[in-house]
């Protein structure tokens, strides 16, 4: 009974039986807002400009009608040699792989072939797949251009172009590649542009590309999303890793996506978690494609408990019902916060997004709350109250103080023993991008005991705690 009503709600949008059947098998009870808006207009052959983020069901929103249009237009008798008729461009390899998987799933009852083209892996199997013939090509721009230059791909018969996560493709500097690819497409075609944001650049791209587009805008996944519980845990930067371990262990979290700003920080954090017995792995642009695929598969299968990712690597990852997202460091760009928390509480399931925020990240937090137009709850975790200097700094200050006292007694400056202690007692805190032990030994610590010790340690901290402002990838 229920299955009939499921397929009916999608059938009402105009989808054929081969597709409503898959949708029912996927357990989709009703179209998401982006699907309800996009499917009929795409079926009608119109261009679309859609503002929709990952997690809104946008992939099915363009894939289902695209499959239907391609299958409806192809003659059933004597099929022609397969030619690329739909091109889906996406910014990252992971997203490309996920979209192609969706194309295969949704198209399983239709006689259409798809393939995947992205960089970082051997090009030959891709050439083979293209040579065998495909109807739908999912690609990242760089590798597709390689194929076009080598003439191993031909776009002369493309009927539908999809630019997915167009804003991120522009952020990643793909605009020239995209323009070069578009120049090779037939002039008469349907264009679908999906973007999480509508910047001026996106509008410019849309102006040059789309013909009288249907505009689709669905609610942003942001603080107002009732599905994502958001929390800030104020904590000292040097205790973040300890707090993360505590949260994962005490909450018995089985699947956690953790964001860091820098690739180096992601690697280090994953290594340290592993040492503490928590299965973790990092995913970022420097990793080979097989390593990234393995990491994601392990995470999805549950053998990897913590996936540590940078913003660009994580963008578009489709991990269903992800229960926990942790911002180990806040992003420099407030919109990235919204993208990050969009990884949880997706398509009907609830999730929580937790940010570990140290005092030097408060300006970033202020920007995020301004964007969300609301304050996120703060909860100090007992035992992790912020405001304690790291042990190595305390040791350094104590050493300096001892040195100062010795110096006063000897009538000279900092004692040698104190300097050695500064270097050997350091436990490097987890601060991606910062080389703390070196800074600690170079920092202008006070040399004479003129003020109470706590005040002097505090005076040294702002210098040592200066946070990096570079943007990771
Ligand atoms: P997307 O925004 O395309 O990344 O999709 C996010 C997730 O929503 C995917 O895991 C889909 O399987 C799922 N999804 C797509 N459409 C629906 C729907 N109508 N009902 C429930 N889940 C859906």
């Amino acid at each position: 009974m229920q299955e009939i009503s499921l397929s009916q709600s999608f059938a009402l949008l105009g989808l054929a039986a081969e597709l409503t059947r898959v949708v029912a098998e996927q357990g989709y009870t009703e179209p998401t807002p982006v699907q309800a808006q996009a499917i009929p207009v795409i079926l009608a052959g119109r261009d679309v400009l859609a503002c929709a983020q990952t997690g809104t069901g946008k992939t099915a929103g363009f894939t289902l009608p695209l499959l239907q249009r391609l299958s409806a237009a192809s003659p059933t008798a004597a099929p022609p040699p397969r030619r690329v008729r739909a091109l889906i461009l996406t910014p990252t390899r992971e997203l490309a792989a996920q979209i192609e998987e969706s194309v295969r799933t949704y198209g399983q009852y239709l006689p259409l072939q798809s393939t995947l083209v992205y960089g970082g892996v051997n090009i030959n199997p891709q050439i083979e797949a293209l040579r065998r013939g495909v109807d739908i090509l999912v690609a990242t721009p760089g590798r597709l251009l390689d194929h076009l230059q080598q003439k191993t791909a031909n776009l002369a018969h493309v009927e539908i172009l999809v630019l997915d996560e167009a804003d991120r493709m522009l952020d990643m500097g793909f605009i020239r590649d995209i323009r070069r690819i578009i120049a090779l497409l037939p002039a008469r075609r349907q264009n679908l542009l999906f973007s999480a944001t509508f910047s001026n650049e996106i509008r410019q791209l849309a102006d040059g590309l789309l013909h009288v587009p249907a505009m689709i805008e669905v609610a942003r996944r942001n603080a107002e999303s009732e599905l994502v519980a958001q929390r800030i845990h104020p904590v000292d930067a040097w205790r973040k890793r300890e707090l993360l371990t505590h949260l994962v262990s005490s909450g018995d979290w089985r699947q956690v996506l953790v964001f860091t700003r820098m690739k180096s920080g992601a690697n280090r954090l994953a290594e340290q978690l592993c040492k503490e017995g928590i299965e973790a792995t990092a995913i970022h642009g420097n990793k080979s494609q097989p390593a990234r695929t393995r990491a994601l598969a392990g995470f999805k299968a549950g053998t990897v408990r913590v996936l540590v990712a940078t913003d660009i690597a994580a963008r578009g990852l489709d991990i269903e019902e992800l229960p926990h997202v942790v911002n180990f460091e806040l992003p420099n760009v407030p919109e990235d916060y919204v993208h990050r928390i969009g990884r949880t509480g997706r398509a009907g399931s609830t999730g929580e997004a937790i940010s570990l925020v140290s005092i030097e990240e408060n300006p970033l937090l202020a920007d995020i709350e301004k964007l969300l137009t609301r304050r996120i709850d703060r909860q100090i975790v007992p035992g992790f109250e912020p405001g304690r200097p790291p042990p190595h700094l305390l040791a350094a200050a104590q050493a300096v103080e001892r040195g100062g006292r010795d110096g006063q007694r000897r009538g000279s400056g900092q004692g040698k023993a104190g300097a050695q202690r500064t270097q050997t007692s350091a436990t490097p805190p987890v601060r991606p991008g910062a080389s703390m032990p070196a800074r600690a030994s170079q920092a202008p610590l006070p040399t004479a005991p003129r003020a109470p010790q706590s005040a002097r340690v505090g005076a040294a901290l702002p210098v040592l705690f200066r946070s990096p402002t570079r943007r990771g990838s």
Side-chain angles (χ1 to χ4, degrees):
M1 248 335 261
Q2 204 197 0
E3 202 163 295
I4 291 167
S5 70
L6 301 184
S7 26
Q8 268 177 353
S9 68
F10 276 90
L12 289 176
L13 299 175
L15 287 179
E18 293 89 342
L19 295 166
T20 55
R21 178 177 167 196
V22 163
V23 158
E25 286 170 1
Q26 292 297 303
Y28 299 170
T29 51
E30 55 183 311
T32 64
V34 71
Q35 290 163 1
Q37 293 178 64
I39 291 171
V41 288
I42 298 174
L43 285 177
R46 286 189 63 185
D47 280 8
V48 163
L49 175 55
C51 184
Q53 294 182 321
T54 298
T56 54
K58 67 182 166 71
T59 312
F62 64 75
T63 305
L64 292 168
L66 176 149
L67 288 164
Q68 180 154 330
R69 278 181 65 72
L70 294 186
S71 61
S74 73
T76 43
R82 292 182 190 280
R83 303 184 292 210
V84 178
R85 295 168 58 209
L87 172 64
I88 305 174
L89 286 179
T90 90
T92 64
R93 303 157 186 189
E94 282 81 10
L95 189 58
Q98 284 168 12
I99 291 176
E100 207 256 343
E101 203 182 309
S102 297
V103 169
R104 280 174 196 259
T105 304
Y106 299 141
Q108 62 188 284
Y109 301 119
L110 294 171
L112 294 167
Q113 287 290 328
S114 59
T115 199
L116 185 58
V117 149
Y118 55 66
V121 291
N122 188 342
I123 199 165
N124 293 329
Q126 297 176 359
I127 294 175
E128 263 312 300
L130 287 164
R131 190 175 295 147
R132 283 195 298 271
V134 295
D135 304 283
I136 301 156
L137 178 58
V138 186
T140 54
R143 177 56 69 91
L144 177 58
L145 273 178
D146 293 343
H147 281 284
L148 292 168
Q149 271 152 12
Q150 296 184 29
K151 304 221 182 304
T152 48
N154 179 350
L155 302 181
H157 302 279
V158 169
E159 296 161 31
I160 307 176
L161 168 70
V162 183
L163 296 184
D164 190 30
E165 307 241 346
D167 52 345
R168 186 52 57 134
M169 286 201 275
L170 298 194
D171 285 354
M172 290 170 73
F174 283 136
I175 186 65
R176 285 187 56 210
D177 289 354
I178 291 171
R179 289 196 190 285
R180 285 169 64 197
I181 292 166
I182 290 174
L184 297 169
L185 303 178
R188 241 180 92 87
R189 57 170 199 269
Q190 184 177 15
N191 301 291
L192 314 174
L193 191 155
F194 284 76
S195 179
T197 53
F198 276 163
S199 62
N200 283 341
E201 273 175 302
I202 289 290
R203 277 176 215 283
Q204 255 179 16
L205 179 67
D207 281 349
L209 184 73
L210 306 176
H211 176 66
V212 208
M215 305 282 291
I216 293 172
E217 193 157 2
V218 295
R220 290 177 70 85
R221 300 189 63 85
N222 62 16
E224 314 323 320
S225 165
E226 288 161 18
L227 297 172
V228 183
Q230 296 172 73
R231 218 164 46 237
I232 303 282
H233 289 319
V235 62
D236 288 324
W238 64 277
R239 298 200 69 197
K240 282 187 177 185
R241 179 171 51 85
E242 206 185 328
L243 176 55
L244 177 63
T245 307
H246 169 77
L247 292 171
V248 171
S249 305
S250 64
D252 196 24
W253 294 355
R254 310 308 308 179
Q255 204 184 31
V256 196
L257 180 60
V258 176
F259 283 96
T260 62
R261 271 200 294 256
M262 318 286 286
K263 294 170 197 167
S264 54
N267 274 340
R268 208 162 36 226
L269 181 58
E271 278 163 22
Q272 283 162 337
L273 289 170
C274 285
K275 277 186 199 148
E276 283 162 31
I278 296 175
E279 310 81 8
T281 189
I283 186 165
H284 54 65
N286 278 5
K287 289 217 158 183
S288 72
Q289 187 53 39
R292 291 163 77 176
T293 308
R294 244 192 339 268
L296 188 58
F299 188 57
K300 284 185 171 183
T303 52
V304 170
R305 206 165 158 188
V306 178
L307 187 67
V308 189
T310 54
D311 289 289
I312 289 178
R315 184 74 192 264
L317 287 186
D318 177 20
I319 303 154
E320 284 179 51
E321 298 177 15
L322 189 55
H324 306 283
V325 165
V326 174
N327 293 310
F328 191 78
E329 293 156 317
L330 288 181
N332 288 335
V333 181
E335 282 79 9
D336 281 346
Y337 176 86
V338 179
H339 292 141
R340 288 178 178 190
I341 70 163
R343 316 305 314 150
T344 181
R346 309 180 67 197
S349 59
T350 51
E352 65 178 354
I354 286 171
S355 303
L356 311 186
V357 180
S358 58
I359 192 162
E360 66 270 28
E361 289 175 302
N362 279 344
L364 299 176
L365 179 58
D367 288 347
I368 289 165
E369 292 184 323
K370 203 165 134 198
L371 177 75
L372 302 178
T373 62
R374 78 172 184 95
R375 189 178 148 85
I376 308 168
D377 282 349
R378 269 83 164 153
Q379 280 178 26
I380 291 177
V381 178
F384 290 90
E385 294 80 3
R388 277 199 247 163
H392 73 287
L393 284 191
L394 204 55
Q398 282 164 350
V400 168
E401 185 181 354
R402 263 193 307 279
R405 273 203 298 269
D406 290 352
Q408 277 188 337
R409 270 198 296 278
R410 288 199 308 268
S412 65
Q414 185 173 325
K416 205 175 172 193
Q420 276 170 356
R421 175 84 181 272
T422 303
Q423 282 166 358
T424 54
S425 65
T427 307
V430 185
R431 294 280 308 139
S435 163
M436 292 292 281
R439 283 196 194 185
S441 58
Q442 290 158 8
L445 293 170
T447 51
R450 301 206 205 290
Q453 177 181 299
S454 58
R456 286 194 311 283
V457 173
L461 292 183
V463 178
L464 296 160
F465 270 19
R466 205 166 285 146
S467 68
T469 50
R470 278 176 295 157
R471 188 162 181 206
S473 63

